[in-house]
Amino acid sequence: MQKRFVSIWFRHLLADWFTLRRPELKTVPFIIVEPSGGRILVVAANYLAEKQGITAGMAAADAKAIVPSLKVIDHLPGQNAKLLKALGEWCIRYTPLVAIDLPDGLILDVSGCPHLWGGERAYLGNIIRVLRSKGYDARGAMADTAGAAWAVARFAKKDPIVEPGKQTEALLTLPPAALRLDDIVIERLTKLGFYSIQGFMGIGRSVLRRRFGPELLLRLNQALGMEDEHLELLEPVIPYHERLPCLEPIRTVTGIEIAIRQLLELLCHRLQKDGMGLRTAILKCYRVDGQVLQVSIGTGLPSHYTNHLFKLFELKIPTIEPGLGIELFTLDAPKVEEVEPGQEALWGGNECSLEDNRLAELLDKLSNKIGAAAIKRYLPQEHHWPERSIKIATSLTEKPTTVWRTAQPRPSLILPRPEPIEVMVKTPDYPPKFFIYKGQKHNVIKSDGPERIEHEWWIEEGEHRDYYYVEDNQGQRYWLFRLGHYDNDKNRQWFLHGFFA
């Protein structure tokens, strides 16, 4: 694929930001300053101040001497990076590959994107037009390399679109500063009479390196496409990512459903080819008013079946408010796992098990509708204490490390902590005649036990428990225990620990 880059230059980034928040500054020349080396220097100036000869790097006192009515605003450290990050995130609707270009620009890797917007000219024009409509004085250019796009955006006065393979011709007439060089190198080139790149481009590389250092060659080669340039992307590239820009803003549920299904078909096709399945997916909806809506789904087993995943997203669609319309949909799968080869053989089987995809799909629907926390799967553990003898499984594929103990009955609901009760026992070491739980008296008519469960002395010291299975006169069954041996000289505490179905 032909590589194409867009450079966006915000000529008055800080000034525009202050003007947007303080509209009264729109007609006032002002500068943004910060202390440096014992002096107060101009960091940025708005357009009205620049017209009167004030530039960045000038002493604030000199600027005030030129324009006595100049308004002075203190610089907020780090504001450039913060602003560019926000603008870069907004630009992700045009391409997922966006890098911050401090102090006042962005670099976009737009390879394979412009045709979705009707061509390169319409694509670049749309970006710049919308940024300007938001109040930012933006300029942009497109070229085969980030360096050439950067140079044309800032120094060219003609066509901002550099045709593929034409970056050399586009750079020839531009000044050396268009190569993103240090001021020292630029000054040295200017002193030697190199006022344009054309003047030194034909000089031997060894001579240029010896006279001006390696930076000049690096920047020249990067701009010409002879050396790759690494971009620090704003967001890491997610391997499984799909985009769907819309020619017209989407405002209906039907339109959103069609968009989701198209994205899932693209994503699932890639997953199936790679033998992978989706565990987590994030859908982002970019609205025309700048708002970004986001919904996500999760699966218990890796899946690359479009219909199943669409049904999970279908539950989330009512939460998507299109507002004035959605102009871009993106679908990311940040978490994927390999699909077991044997999974296809089980598809459509008659027996239901944890490996049955139908059960996994049902659990996915329930967890995405009522919340994953509402569904739990338990596994046995090697512990004596009942509350420690089970644990919550982390996934459907997690295997038990021991077998379930079925020699003695266990209640269908075990309290995480035994709750103390008051009892009346007529005979020592017998179950209670009645007990009081939460202020309600329960008369015991049937009982069985005791079942002694010893304390786990290797974890903590304590006494054993004697458990009884009891049924009250209402037909409700409980699991009670007494802590420690029965003793006439000491009252033993009783507890309720579970309920039978």
Side-chain angles (χ1 to χ4, degrees), residues 346-449:
L346 294 173
W347 191 261
N350 294 323
E351 296 182 1
C352 185
S353 67
L354 291 176
E355 289 76 24
D356 193 323
N357 280 339
R358 293 172 301 174
L359 174 61
E361 289 182 0
L362 174 62
L363 294 177
D364 289 342
K365 291 178 187 175
L366 293 174
S367 62
N368 282 278
K369 187 169 186 176
I370 63 176
I375 301 175
K376 294 182 174 61
R377 174 179 171 241
Y378 294 95
L379 294 175
Q381 291 194 116
E382 289 285 359
H383 283 287
H384 289 183
W385 253 205
E387 61 268 32
R388 294 175 184 157
S389 64
I390 56 174
K391 69 172 184 177
I392 297 177
T394 57
S395 69
L396 280 176
T397 56
E398 185 177 357
K399 303 296 182 186
T401 56
T402 185
V403 296
W404 286 104
R405 297 176 183 174
T406 57
Q408 297 290 340
R410 289 290 180 264
S412 54
L413 174 61
I414 294 180
L415 298 175
R417 290 180 181 276
E419 297 186 10
I421 56 176
E422 297 179 20
V423 303
M424 196 283 284
V425 181
K426 294 180 65 174
T427 307
D429 282 340
Y430 264 56
K433 191 67 178 174
F434 67 83
F435 65 93
I436 300 175
Y437 174 59
K438 292 186 176 179
Q440 184 176 356
K441 181 179 179 182
H442 299 266
N443 293 311
V444 176
I445 60 172
K446 294 180 181 177
S447 62
D448 193 10

Side-chain angles (χ1 to χ4, degrees), residues 127-174:
I127 296 174
I128 301 304
R129 185 169 56 254
V130 177
L131 285 173
R132 288 177 178 172
S133 70
K134 291 180 177 296
Y136 288 96
D137 183 11
R139 288 189 59 179
M142 185 184 298
D144 283 357
T145 65
W150 190 95
V152 173
R154 287 161 174 78
F155 294 94
K157 298 179 180 177
K158 296 182 180 177
D159 194 350
I161 305 290
V162 180
E163 296 298 324
K166 300 294 184 182
Q167 58 270 22
T168 302
E169 291 83 345
L171 292 172
L172 288 177
T173 58
L174 303 183

Side-chain angles (χ1 to χ4, degrees), residues 471-487:
E471 180 178 326
D472 66 7
N473 54 354
Q474 301 296 320
Q476 296 173 324
R477 298 186 297 161
Y478 303 89
W479 206 32
L480 313 179
F481 72 84
R482 184 190 66 241
L483 187 64
H485 287 288
Y486 181 82
D487 191 343

Side-chain angles (χ1 to χ4, degrees), residues 246-501:
C246 309
L247 295 177
E248 295 292 335
I250 300 297
R251 293 193 291 266
T252 64
V253 172
T254 304
I256 295 172
E257 290 177 348
I258 293 172
I260 294 174
R261 189 172 283 279
Q262 287 188 12
L263 286 169
L264 284 173
E265 287 174 352
L266 293 171
L267 186 67
C268 289
H269 179 68
R270 291 182 56 199
L271 291 169
Q272 288 172 9
K273 285 175 59 180
D274 297 343
M276 306 296 286
L278 180 151
R279 288 295 309 277
T280 305
I282 301 173
L283 174 75
K284 291 183 179 178
C285 309
Y286 292 80
R287 300 196 327 194
V288 295
D289 60 0
Q291 294 287 323
V292 180
L293 309 177
Q294 177 176 314
V295 295
S296 61
I297 62 167
T299 62
L301 289 175
S303 173
H304 49 221
Y305 294 97
T306 303
N307 288 336
H308 170 55
L309 298 175
F310 176 76
K311 288 177 182 177
L312 302 184
F313 271 119
E314 205 171 24
L315 301 171
K316 309 284 186 179
I317 290 177
T319 65
I320 300 175
E321 297 179 358
L324 297 176
I326 300 170
E327 57 182 352
L328 172 68
F329 293 88
T330 65
L331 182 63
D332 298 322
K335 184 178 181 183
V336 297
E337 293 178 359
E338 290 187 6
V339 176
E340 293 292 335
Q343 190 171 352
E344 294 289 343
L346 294 173
W347 191 261
N350 294 323
E351 296 182 1
C352 185
S353 67
L354 291 176
E355 289 76 24
D356 193 323
N357 280 339
R358 293 172 301 174
L359 174 61
E361 289 182 0
L362 174 62
L363 294 177
D364 289 342
K365 291 178 187 175
L366 293 174
S367 62
N368 282 278
K369 187 169 186 176
I370 63 176
I375 301 175
K376 294 182 174 61
R377 174 179 171 241
Y378 294 95
L379 294 175
Q381 291 194 116
E382 289 285 359
H383 283 287
H384 289 183
W385 253 205
E387 61 268 32
R388 294 175 184 157
S389 64
I390 56 174
K391 69 172 184 177
I392 297 177
T394 57
S395 69
L396 280 176
T397 56
E398 185 177 357
K399 303 296 182 186
T401 56
T402 185
V403 296
W404 286 104
R405 297 176 183 174
T406 57
Q408 297 290 340
R410 289 290 180 264
S412 54
L413 174 61
I414 294 180
L415 298 175
R417 290 180 181 276
E419 297 186 10
I421 56 176
E422 297 179 20
V423 303
M424 196 283 284
V425 181
K426 294 180 65 174
T427 307
D429 282 340
Y430 264 56
K433 191 67 178 174
F434 67 83
F435 65 93
I436 300 175
Y437 174 59
K438 292 186 176 179
Q440 184 176 356
K441 181 179 179 182
H442 299 266
N443 293 311
V444 176
I445 60 172
K446 294 180 181 177
S447 62
D448 193 10
E451 176 193 353
R452 177 159 297 179
I453 299 179
E454 294 291 345
H455 200 282
E456 296 172 305
W457 53 267
W458 57 93
I459 297 177
E460 60 183 353
E461 295 183 352
E463 297 179 293
H464 64 264
R465 297 172 177 176
D466 284 337
Y467 278 88
Y468 293 88
Y469 317 93
V470 303
E471 180 178 326
D472 66 7
N473 54 354
Q474 301 296 320
Q476 296 173 324
R477 298 186 297 161
Y478 303 89
W479 206 32
L480 313 179
F481 72 84
R482 184 190 66 241
L483 187 64
H485 287 288
Y486 181 82
D487 191 343
N488 284 330
D489 298 331
K490 185 177 181 181
N491 290 327
R492 292 294 181 177
Q493 179 64 54
W494 284 75
F495 296 87
L496 187 149
H497 201 182
F499 304 87
F500 291 90

Side-chain angles (χ1 to χ4, degrees), residues 183-248:
D183 292 340
I184 296 175
V185 178
I186 294 172
E187 185 180 355
R188 196 179 302 166
L189 286 165
T190 306
K191 282 182 178 178
L192 293 174
F194 296 121
Y195 299 108
S196 66
I197 296 173
Q198 186 177 14
F200 57 84
M201 184 179 285
I203 298 177
R205 292 293 196 260
S206 59
V207 176
L208 289 176
R209 182 188 300 276
R210 188 171 60 253
R211 294 294 302 271
F212 305 104
E215 184 201 0
L216 175 59
L217 286 182
L218 174 66
R219 289 304 193 185
L220 186 59
N221 289 339
Q222 287 178 341
L224 296 176
M226 299 167 63
E227 194 162 337
D228 289 335
E229 181 173 353
H230 175 69
L231 299 178
E232 293 288 342
L233 298 178
L234 201 58
E235 290 188 0
V237 178
I238 299 176
Y240 294 101
H241 171 89
E242 298 294 341
R243 299 163 48 82
L244 183 64
C246 309
L247 295 177
E248 295 292 335

